[in-house]
Amino acid sequence: MMTPQVITPQQMQQILQQQVLSPQQLQVLLQQQQALMLQQQLQEFYKKQQEQLQLQLLQQQHAGKQPKEQQQVATQQLAFQQQLLQMQQLQQQHLLSLQRQGLLTIQPGQPALPLQPLAQGMIPAELQQLWKEVTSAHTAEETTGNNHSSLDLTTTCVSSSAPSKTSLIMNPHASTNGQLSVHTPKRESLSHEEHSHSHPLYGHGVCKWPGCEAVCEDFQSFLKHLNSEHALDDRSTAQCRVQMQVVQQLELQLAKDKERLQAMMTHLHVKSTEPKAAPQPLNLVSSVTLSKSASEASPQSLPHTPTTPTAPITPVTQGPSVITTTSMHTVGPIRRRYSDKYNVPISSDIAQNQEFYKNAEVRPPFTYASLIRQAILESPEKQLTLNEIYNWFTRMFAYFRRNAATWKNAVRHNLSLHKCFVRVENVKGAVWTVDEVEFQKRRPQKISGNPSLIKNMQSSHAYCTPLNAALQASMAENSIPLYTTASMGNPTLGNLASAIREELNGAMEHTNSNESDSSPGRSPMQAVHPVHVKEEPLDPEEAEGPLSLVTTANHSPDFDHDRDYEDEPVNEDME
DNA sequence: ATTCAGATAAACAGAG
DNA sequence: CCTCTGTTTATCTGAA
């Protein structure tokens, strides 16, 4: 049985840098993390119960007088343990279902994804084993001297690093030898009333007390069995404590994993100060959405530093994903063709890496045309003056704060050259708008580099749909609404999802846009009303997705465009 | 080897 | 005259 191991941030980083993430692998990662989250949710819930239980046990030890309380404690013990098992079963089921979907197959020999089972080994089988050990050992304890193994085993198996080994060993004696009275005649009525036919420790005619599995014909006999075999005695108490240790250990592990996950999330979610942070989520996304063979290990969308323009990659070491903010100040004619040929969804890229682009003088991996379009589409009225476009460039990209003459010329050149940009006379002067149809028409050639990919996407989402479905399913399982995450809680997943959708839409457009090919002479008016034809799915996504969220957060939505970089760079750059 | 799209540079024109 | 805006041409480059 393979237990998915949570990968450390370092490992994650390694994976990302090596570009070894195939779509499947990405899914595996996702699912693993989500399995963890599920686990966590369950644990959270049971933790409270455990605390309560512990509290009452303590009270009991101090003054074990009131039988009623004891009853409750006992009942809770039972319920607690049962739920714990249930939880573990749930996890198992979750993992199994993932496996069944083929999502949990991790390539063997993949060093970046260590597969050693959790040291804690908290799978039901082992738990059962543990319980049996404890149980049998207890009886052995009374007969032979063979008692040590159980608890030793427990400690080594359950709590390799448990802080309270001693308490585990000592407490049972301390408490059980003491004041715990054993029998409570009222238990039946209580549990009978409360749980009648759905006793947490009774199911399918079998006692579900850990390690018991005694067959009970009916509920009455089960209750009898429960009272006789699992009364509140030394053994039961010991078992309970062991179980508590188990839970504690689980929680410990969970806390660790949670922390790890958090670190991963935050790490991957763009810190412009950290060189590696920004582009990586993008990589994740792009490698999935493009379904490029992972082995290709292409730099994907990653912006190269102007000083290292050699496209053919400097692979793992520094190349694509690592963007150092140093050594970026070399300027001059760099005839690099960055372009968005990798077909990365521009809006999500910019959104995700906004801080990075703002601060690092990295050339964005998109063509002027794409950037201009983005600037225009971001604007509230989908139209900008030339100067406003300039401002957007300087505002969004540190790279465009130098060499103004060059890139401004390029912007103007692009505006004039490309049909997709339509100049519209306005009251205040002229503004530029985007003719989406025209813009999309020019894109197919980019993606055509991978015809099989197109086919895949074309053939009714042969690829994307399963991925999306898997994403949705797993998110639903964790009560993470897919379509709200982009703007709410879970930025990474949200961005991922939105990027996937965007990519999907984009691909569909490409394959569809042929039909409306020969555009009738475009009139400015045509562009003034943004052409929505088959844009519906794409437009709201790009315009009001994460990107717009970001931008509105950064500057007021109205027209007070910040002129931060308007003046200085122009002057400075006239070197 | 060819073609194509994009980047860069620059000439030019008109408006303000 | 200068700057800004916009158009156009030429050249170079990387990729298909």
Side-chain angles (χ1 to χ4, degrees), chain A residues 255-266:
Chain A
K256 277 185 198 164
D257 284 334
K258 196 175 165 188
E259 203 176 336
R260 224 185 283 183
L261 177 62
Q262 200 53 49
M264 287 163 67
M265 298 285 219
T266 47

Side-chain angles (χ1 to χ4, degrees), chain A residues 303-435:
Chain A
H304 298 263
T305 67
T307 46
T308 58
T310 37
I313 314 168
T314 32
V316 183
T317 51
Q318 203 261 3
S321 46
V322 182
I323 299 178
T324 53
T325 43
T326 63
S327 80
M328 290 190 169
H329 296 280
T330 317
V331 255
I334 308 143
R335 282 183 186 266
R336 293 277 305 121
R337 189 180 154 195
Y338 286 89
S339 77
D340 31 15
K341 62 172 173 253
Y342 295 116
N343 202 31
V344 173
I346 180 172
S347 63
S348 47
D349 176 290
I350 296 178
Q352 282 192 314
N353 302 315
Q354 193 196 30
E355 283 306 313
F356 179 80
Y357 289 137
K358 261 184 174 172
N359 297 310
E361 286 192 33
V362 176
R363 188 189 186 109
F366 299 101
T367 61
Y368 283 111
S370 298
L371 291 171
I372 294 169
R373 169 178 169 270
Q374 188 59 35
I376 294 174
L377 292 185
E378 260 188 47
S379 69
E381 310 195 23
K382 307 271 186 289
Q383 57 175 40
L384 289 177
T385 65
L386 179 64
N387 197 46
E388 286 167 340
I389 295 174
Y390 289 163
N391 290 339
W392 185 87
F393 270 67
T394 48
R395 188 173 66 239
M396 302 294 284
F397 303 97
Y399 179 83
F400 292 121
R401 284 165 211 164
R402 0 180 92 249
N403 289 341
T406 299
W407 65 261
K408 283 182 177 177
N409 183 34
V411 167
R412 288 196 307 273
H413 169 76
N414 273 266
L415 282 172
S416 290
L417 191 68
H418 296 304
K419 291 182 191 171
C420 58
F421 300 119
V422 183
R423 186 174 175 273
V424 180
E425 287 290 346
N426 210 356
V427 196
K428 306 192 286 184
V431 292
W432 290 94
T433 61
V434 179
D435 183 338

Side-chain angles (χ1 to χ4, degrees), chain A residues 79-90:
Chain A
F80 171 61
Q81 285 163 4
Q82 196 275 338
Q83 283 173 333
L84 205 108
L85 279 180
Q86 203 174 33
M87 176 192 72
Q88 284 154 355
Q89 282 167 4
L90 259 175

